[in-house]
Amino acid sequence: MALDRWESRLEDLFQGRPYDMLDATLSDTVEKFPVDIQVHPLDLKKSRYRNIDELYIYCYYVVGTIGLMSVPVMGIAPESHATTKVYNDALALGIANQLTNGDVGKE
């Protein structure tokens, strides 16, 4: 299955074994800005949500986490006093992007 191959390739990338130049670029970024990534394939499980709470959880895992992971890449030091606000704003931006995507909740 293609998803299984992609997951295996991603695991290799995070272990410093890139497949190609694009993977090498991401591998370098992951090495410089380590993050704890856990796969949550919510797009594969469900396409409609009963209420805003379910939709928020979906948006958090699918795109909110990307906002969170981007903070150190943008140069915000972990010891910065603005960290909590910056991370909250990054999370909110990711969720807002997903909500305005147009694909949320479509079958």
Side-chain angles (χ1 to χ4, degrees):
M1 177 177 185
L3 187 57
D4 292 332
R5 286 191 306 271
W6 177 82
E7 187 174 2
S8 175
R9 184 173 168 178
L10 191 58
E11 287 173 8
D12 284 345
L13 184 146
F14 278 89
Q15 295 299 317
R17 298 185 303 268
Y19 176 77
D20 59 19
M21 291 305 293
L22 292 175
D23 285 0
T25 301
L26 182 54
S27 184
D28 181 65
T29 302
V30 168
E31 184 179 323
K32 289 179 182 172
F33 307 100
V35 293
D36 179 24
I37 294 179
Q38 298 174 7
V39 176
H40 294 280
L42 296 176
D43 283 331
L44 302 176
K45 294 179 181 178
K46 196 173 192 178
S47 63
R48 307 240 351 126
Y49 300 92
R50 291 180 293 181
N51 55 48
I52 192 69
D53 292 333
E54 281 188 5
L55 182 58
Y56 178 86
I57 291 168
Y58 165 80
C59 290
Y60 173 86
Y61 282 113
V62 173
V63 177
T65 52
I66 294 170
L68 295 174
M69 291 185 301
S70 67
V71 171
V73 174
M74 289 187 245
I76 306 297
E79 62 275 3
S80 168
H81 294 293
T83 299
T84 301
K85 178 167 178 9
V86 170
Y87 277 94
N88 286 338
D89 290 347
L91 176 61
L93 180 60
I95 291 170
N97 283 329
Q98 185 64 31
L99 289 171
T100 58
N101 180 354
D103 291 336
V104 174
K106 291 186 177 179
E107 291 187 50

